[in-house]
Amino acid sequence: IAVTVLTVICVIVGRWRKKKNDVKMWITIAFFALCTVGTAADLLGFYIKGNSDGLLNTVGMFLVYAVVMGAYSTVQIRRQVYIDDKTGLYNQSRCNEVLADPRPLKASVGLIMFDLNNLKVVNDTMGHEVGDYLICGFATALKKNISRKCFMGRYGGDEFIVIVRKTN
């Protein structure tokens, strides 16, 4: 128990000093702490009752940890599959899924397509870093000026789409 407590403290201090605020790390630390408390309760129960039926506390905490980490990992994988790293908008795969949805529309929908003109010229003359800066700037402008209820995605290199639902 003492080793676990010291390990958790060292990890917390190390992450705090490096200013790394990782959700996965905090979930792990919380469950290590709960498992430590569960183990202490199990040991105390063993010495008081004389049997080890209290081991279920620790095992239960590990099972809860496994379920929570599985759910968190699923969310992270989904984000990696559908979100464009540069812009934070939906990527082309997600755009294609939304556009190919076979369900009939129940309300009016507007589709807006954007193409950043002459981005190839910018990339060729000023470099891809400048082109990426322009792409990210445009994505930021979309996020600031388009309702979060609308679907926004980066359809290609310099192509973006916005789907506005319930519009005329």
Side-chain angles (χ1 to χ4, degrees):
I1 293 173
V3 171
T4 303
V5 170
L6 285 174
T7 303
V8 169
I9 290 170
C10 289
V11 168
I12 291 172
V13 170
R15 293 296 235 183
W16 178 72
R17 291 184 76 206
K18 291 180 181 178
K19 302 204 187 307
K20 294 207 175 187
N21 195 8
D22 182 17
V23 174
K24 199 172 188 179
M25 183 228 20
W26 287 111
I27 292 171
T28 303
I29 289 172
F31 279 101
F32 264 127
L34 288 173
C35 285
T36 302
V37 169
T39 303
D42 291 341
L43 286 172
L44 188 63
F46 176 75
Y47 286 114
I48 291 172
K49 293 179 185 176
N51 63 25
S52 62
D53 63 352
L55 185 62
L56 292 176
N57 292 327
T58 305
V59 172
M61 284 300 131
F62 277 117
L63 289 175
V64 170
Y65 171 74
V67 169
V68 169
M69 288 306 288
Y72 178 76
S73 296
T74 301
V75 168
Q76 290 302 102
I77 289 169
R78 184 173 169 82
R79 178 168 172 71
Q80 287 176 347
V81 168
Y82 286 128
I83 302 297
D84 178 60
D85 286 338
K86 276 190 187 15
T87 63
L89 297 174
Y90 286 110
N91 62 17
Q92 187 176 20
S93 294
R94 183 65 182 138
C95 291
N96 286 332
E97 284 182 11
V98 169
L99 292 172
D101 189 351
R103 292 178 290 177
L105 299 173
K106 295 180 181 170
S108 298
V109 174
L111 173 67
I112 307 167
M113 296 199 75
F114 300 93
D115 185 320
L116 304 182
N117 289 338
N118 299 319
L119 189 66
K120 181 178 178 356
V121 174
V122 171
N123 283 338
D124 291 346
T125 58
M126 297 180 189
H128 287 275
E129 287 179 5
V130 175
D132 288 348
Y133 179 78
L134 292 174
I135 287 170
C136 291
F138 185 76
T140 300
L142 279 178
K143 290 182 217 174
K144 285 183 180 178
N145 294 294
I146 305 286
S147 170
R148 297 266 183 223
K149 294 178 184 176
C150 298
F151 176 88
M152 293 178 274
R154 182 175 177 198
Y155 192 69
D158 65 344
E159 293 92 21
F160 295 83
I161 67 168
V162 174
I163 298 175
V164 184
R165 300 188 187 280
K166 297 180 184 172
T167 187
N168 57 23

